[in-house]
Amino acid sequence: MNNKSKGNPSRETCETIIRRILTTEVSEKGTNAHFRQASDFMSYFESLYPASDALTKQVQRAIKSMDMPKDEKGYFIINKTKEQLAQENELKHFIKQGEFLLNPMDSCETVFIKAPTSSLDYLIYQLSNWDLLKNNYITMVKSCNGILIYTQDKLKVLSVINSIISE
């Protein structure tokens, strides 16, 4: 007895099956390294439906309708739109051109300098250009009552800043 369904699935049904196949592939293997075109899905569809030109065309329509982006090797990407992929690629290109560094802040300590709000921009400018303080902080952030300095060497920053405050 043949367990195959009669007739062909709708385009929407094909899309659902393709989405499920790709989602499973990505969840099990971390990436899609198997599916590049409609024909790569045909063995799955032919195990459920009678093989025919109409089935092939329906799967091709579903793939076209889904409008999935492809990675640099030509494999379908199920979890991103073409717009998201373009944005991601633009960001990667931009970052590769600059001197970017990811710095986890979990090892940072903070130093707070209380200062009038009207002087915060000038103070940050001066501190960030002060040779004694350079390379001793990760970043400085304005707050409503002063400046937060994030550093990995709190004692050094305190010593440098106290040297001008206590004079």
Side-chain angles (χ1 to χ4, degrees), residues 40-89:
D40 296 333
F41 294 95
M42 290 312 298
S43 62
Y44 291 93
F45 282 95
E46 289 171 352
S47 70
L48 300 171
Y49 302 96
S52 68
D53 288 343
L55 177 63
T56 302
K57 288 188 188 313
Q58 196 71 311
V59 173
Q60 289 170 342
R61 283 186 201 106
I63 291 290
K64 185 174 181 175
S65 171
M66 292 173 76
D67 195 31
M68 290 180 286
K70 293 185 176 187
D71 66 14
E72 61 279 349
K73 295 178 183 173
Y75 294 104
F76 290 117
I77 300 174
I78 187 64
N79 52 357
K80 295 177 187 169
T81 64
K82 285 184 178 182
E83 292 79 18
Q84 288 171 323
L85 190 61
Q87 183 182 29
E88 194 174 282
N89 287 335

Side-chain angles (χ1 to χ4, degrees), residues 22-37:
L22 288 174
T23 301
T24 301
E25 176 88 358
V26 170
S27 68
E28 288 178 359
K29 298 183 178 154
T31 187
N32 169 27
H34 186 252
F35 301 96
R36 292 182 179 180
Q37 54 197 2

Side-chain angles (χ1 to χ4, degrees), residues 108-113 127 130 132-140 147-165:
C108 287
E109 299 177 294
T110 56
V111 173
F112 180 72
I113 301 174
L127 290 172
W130 188 19
L132 290 177
L133 198 56
K134 278 190 178 174
N135 302 319
N136 287 309
Y137 66 92
I138 303 298
T139 191
M140 291 183 227
I147 296 171
L148 282 168
I149 300 174
Y150 291 85
T151 179
Q152 292 177 324
D153 192 350
K154 184 177 185 174
L155 294 176
K156 175 79 172 178
V157 170
L158 286 171
S159 171
V160 170
I161 294 173
N162 277 328
S163 72
I164 58 167
I165 291 176

